[in-house]
Amino acid sequence: MPEETISSRYTAINFVQKYALFSEQWTPKVIAQMNDYQFKVVKIEGDFIWHSHADTDETFIVLGGTLRIDFRDGAVTLNEGEMFVVPKGVEHKPYAETPVRLLLVEPCGVLNTGDQGGERTMRNDVWI
Amino acid sequence: MPEETISSRYTAINFVQKYALFSEQWTPKVIAQMNDYQFKVVKIEGDFIWHSHADTDETFIVLGGTLRIDFRDGAVTLNEGEMFVVPKGVEHKPYAETPVRLLLVEPCGVLNTGDQGGERTMRNDVWI
């Protein structure tokens, strides 16, 4: 853990402020950690790739915009103020017709492309 | 896991709708589970008791109102759209001058009063 002052230890994490720190899409940024789980903000627009996470569920919380998560046998649409937990091992493909601000909750070390890999894979340990 | 139809499996969890399902304060309700962690909504107003959780961090996300979390050596104030992770073992006391809608994230089985117990302790497994 980095050296901290008392004042920084007791500082609120503000979602709007965190989103203002970056513009690139599909690049999750860690903003907080609880035990071995992390909270990540990410901006997305358009189609992601089909993938799954064999070892963990993954939580999507929509803080702005409308997200659709496609499954092989259905889909769920999430508006601002809504969440969904994708069960482990279930193939899914996020899609956003217009820009979406997401909050992800998942264990440390989870890759955005899950078991699929490929060019859309991003670093999973970038804090802002 | 209860028997589900495909349609219910792929249904968004809406925070506003969940808060509308109950009125009592200081009684966390489980709305989702990710692995062995749960998301709980709770309405609070006034003072809680000093307590800590020896074995786990605890995440507070404010969805409405203004929450203050007091520590023995400081405090943090969280407005809507802000979060804070209370480290395990750290004594804290939530306080809300006016009604607050909270989203908690913590491992299954965590009690609201932590290691303190007492009459403010609520069941930790009530789903809505």
Side-chain angles (χ1 to χ4, degrees), chain A residues 25-28 42-53 58 60 67-70 92-96 102 104 111-122:
Chain A
Q25 296 181 328
W26 301 105
T27 59
V42 60
K43 296 178 177 181
I44 72 170
E45 184 177 10
D47 255 314
F48 202 54
I49 61 169
W50 284 103
H51 70 283
S52 61
H53 307 277
E58 183 176 33
F60 292 77
L67 172 73
R68 195 185 74 208
I69 307 176
D70 291 336
H92 58 283
K93 183 177 71 64
Y95 169 73
L102 272 184
L104 301 173
L111 285 172
N112 61 328
T113 51
D115 308 318
Q116 189 63 27
E119 63 184 13
R120 304 282 303 257
T121 305
M122 292 293 153

Side-chain angles (χ1 to χ4, degrees), chain B residues 17-56:
Chain B
Q17 290 176 5
K18 292 297 186 184
Y19 286 117
L21 296 177
F22 66 102
S23 59
E24 65 271 30
Q25 296 181 328
W26 300 106
T27 60
K29 317 285 192 192
V30 182
I31 61 167
Q33 184 163 337
M34 166 191 56
N35 301 326
D36 54 348
Y37 281 69
Q38 289 179 331
F39 294 78
K40 301 174 183 174
V41 288
V42 60
K43 296 178 176 181
I44 71 171
E45 184 177 8
D47 254 314
F48 202 54
I49 61 169
W50 284 103
H51 68 284
S52 61
H53 307 277
D55 300 322
T56 182

Side-chain angles (χ1 to χ4, degrees), chain A residues 90-107:
Chain A
V90 173
E91 277 193 295
H92 58 283
K93 183 177 71 64
Y95 169 73
E97 186 169 334
T98 54
V100 166
R101 295 192 304 275
L102 272 184
L103 177 65
L104 301 173
V105 192
E106 55 193 15

Side-chain angles (χ1 to χ4, degrees), chain B residues 53-122:
Chain B
H53 307 277
D55 300 322
T56 182
D57 301 340
E58 183 176 35
T59 299
F60 292 76
I61 301 176
V62 173
L63 298 181
T66 298
L67 172 73
R68 195 184 73 206
I69 307 175
D70 291 336
F71 303 96
R72 293 297 188 183
D73 60 352
V76 64
T77 296
L78 305 180
N79 293 301
E80 183 176 336
E82 295 186 328
M83 66 174 285
F84 189 79
V85 180
V86 176
K88 67 180 178 183
V90 172
E91 276 193 295
H92 58 283
K93 184 176 71 63
Y95 169 74
E97 187 168 334
T98 54
V100 166
R101 295 192 304 275
L102 272 184
L103 177 65
L104 302 173
V105 192
E106 56 195 14
C108 297
V110 167
L111 285 172
N112 62 329
T113 51
D115 308 318
Q116 189 64 26
E119 64 184 13
R120 304 284 301 258
T121 304
M122 292 293 153

